[in-house]
Amino acid sequence: MSIAKYAELGTFLRSRRERIRPEDVGLVPGPRRRVPGLRRDEVAHLAGASADYYNELERGAGSQPSAQMLAALARALRLTDDERDHLYHLAGRPLPSPSGPTSHVHPGMSDLLIRLTSTPAQVITDLHVTLVQNPLAVALLGDHSAFTGSRASFVFRWFTEPESRALYPEQDHDSQSRAFVADLRAAAARRDAKDDEVRPMITELQRRSTEFAEKWADHEVAFRRNDRKRIVHPGLGLIEVNCLNLFSEDGRQRLLWFTPAVGTDSGDLLALLAVIGTQNLAGSTPRTDEPSW
């Protein structure tokens, strides 16, 4: 990156930061704020970066930000699609795939997500790549932020990594598999015939999973809109929830939120989940060295 581009990047970040009120992103304003909009440390916190690193970016110094950091900044600053593209151009990075883990989350979905403070919620793509989770979703489902490449898709992990199925009771695995395949077929049909993400994914799944290949051959198709699921939490046991979906206009993203199923003790369990957070979550650290499709 040139010095001029670094300087312009810093100026652009500062201009976007100053237009956002703390309450717009779920922060408590507090008394006697000395700067308009968000403080630098608040943006850093929202983007998962250190305050020193973000300060360097606004100063027009430091190293070239990664695609992952740019995606996090775009979400933290509630950038529009055009503003997100401009951010990537200033940083000298190619625009990310519209369905990968660095995809831009629609600002409206981000706003809804921060307001869902008492229920697990997350935004995923049509290929079941998790883009952002609230703390309760991490506590309920695990942290999906470190998965990259083909493994970023939960559908891909479901059919290629047996340990991913621990999220659901074994007796529910077949119905979950059928639902995943039907949903993937619906997503694939909605995409352009020349799409370079979903077709390689389907080909790889057919090669690696006999179960997937058999179910794909059944030609079942159905978007997952409203489900009743039984989730196995490593600390709290079985939690039965309703999973509700809000789709973006193009169908590429969906906001999922989970409510306790009526007639169960799941309401008490979700309340307890909010207290214990992720302290009882088990499992290995995701590997991040696999290639993209």
Side-chain angles (χ1 to χ4, degrees), residues 76-92:
L77 294 170
R78 299 298 190 268
L79 301 187
T80 65
D81 288 344
D82 290 337
E83 290 171 336
R84 186 284 308 263
D85 292 354
H86 185 61
L87 178 67
Y88 274 78
H89 291 319
L90 291 177

Side-chain angles (χ1 to χ4, degrees), residues 232-253:
V232 180
H233 185 272
L236 299 177
L238 193 68
I239 304 177
E240 194 162 356
V241 296
N242 298 310
C243 178
L244 307 171
N245 294 255
L246 175 66
F247 289 79
S248 62
E249 290 184 4
D250 62 3
R252 290 290 187 101
Q253 294 183 11

Side-chain angles (χ1 to χ4, degrees), residues 274-290:
V275 175
I276 67 171
T278 60
Q279 64 184 2
N280 284 340
L281 286 177
S284 59
T285 301
R287 303 188 303 273
T288 60
D289 55 350
E290 292 202 6

Side-chain angles (χ1 to χ4, degrees), residues 248-269:
S248 62
E249 290 184 4
D250 62 3
R252 290 290 187 101
Q253 294 183 11
R254 59 189 77 171
L255 172 66
L256 311 180
W257 70 99
F258 302 84
T259 61
V262 175
T264 72
D265 63 350
S266 296
D268 293 335
L269 292 175

Side-chain angles (χ1 to χ4, degrees), residues 157-184:
R157 299 199 304 275
W158 178 263
F159 287 104
T160 60
E161 301 177 17
E163 61 271 21
S164 69
R165 300 193 173 200
L167 185 64
Y168 298 108
E170 186 174 355
Q171 55 267 43
D172 295 351
H173 288 181
D174 184 67
S175 62
Q176 290 296 331
S177 293
R178 286 189 282 103
F180 279 135
V181 172
D183 187 81
L184 182 60

Side-chain angles (χ1 to χ4, degrees), residues 34-217:
R34 297 180 179 180
V35 297
L38 299 178
R39 297 192 299 263
R40 291 186 182 90
D41 64 297
E42 290 171 333
V43 176
H45 171 73
L46 291 170
S50 70
D52 288 342
Y53 176 79
Y54 182 77
N55 286 339
E56 289 292 296
L57 286 180
E58 279 208 7
R59 287 179 51 242
S63 59
Q64 181 186 30
S66 67
Q68 290 77 12
M69 178 51 61
L70 292 172
L73 289 170
R75 294 167 188 170
L77 294 170
R78 299 298 190 268
L79 301 187
T80 65
D81 288 344
D82 290 337
E83 290 171 336
R84 186 284 308 263
D85 292 354
H86 185 61
L87 178 67
Y88 274 78
H89 291 319
L90 291 177
R93 294 287 185 186
L95 296 180
S97 158
S99 296
T102 57
S103 297
H104 187 47
V105 179
H106 190 285
M109 286 194 171
S110 294
D111 290 341
L112 282 174
L113 185 66
I114 65 169
R115 285 164 172 74
L116 293 172
T117 58
S118 61
T119 190
Q122 60 185 20
V123 178
I124 69 171
T125 73
D126 58 343
L127 302 186
H128 291 258
V129 174
T130 302
L131 301 180
V132 62
Q133 299 173 282
N134 71 6
L136 277 176
V138 174
L140 178 65
L141 306 170
D143 186 353
H144 296 174
S145 62
F147 292 109
T148 60
S150 57
R151 299 183 66 247
S153 166
F154 184 71
V155 171
F156 189 90
R157 299 199 304 275
W158 178 263
F159 287 104
T160 60
E161 301 177 17
E163 61 271 21
S164 69
R165 300 193 173 200
L167 185 64
Y168 298 108
E170 186 174 355
Q171 55 267 43
D172 295 351
H173 288 181
D174 184 67
S175 62
Q176 290 296 331
S177 293
R178 286 189 282 103
F180 279 135
V181 172
D183 187 81
L184 182 60
R185 184 175 285 279
R190 174 173 279 183
R191 289 182 172 224
D192 186 272
K194 297 180 181 179
D195 182 88
D196 60 358
E197 289 182 310
V198 68
R199 298 301 170 185
M201 177 182 176
I202 292 168
T203 299
E204 182 68 6
L205 283 172
Q206 288 175 311
R207 184 183 70 83
R208 295 181 58 173
S209 171
T210 300
E211 180 192 17
F212 178 86
E214 291 174 348
K215 286 181 167 52
W216 187 258

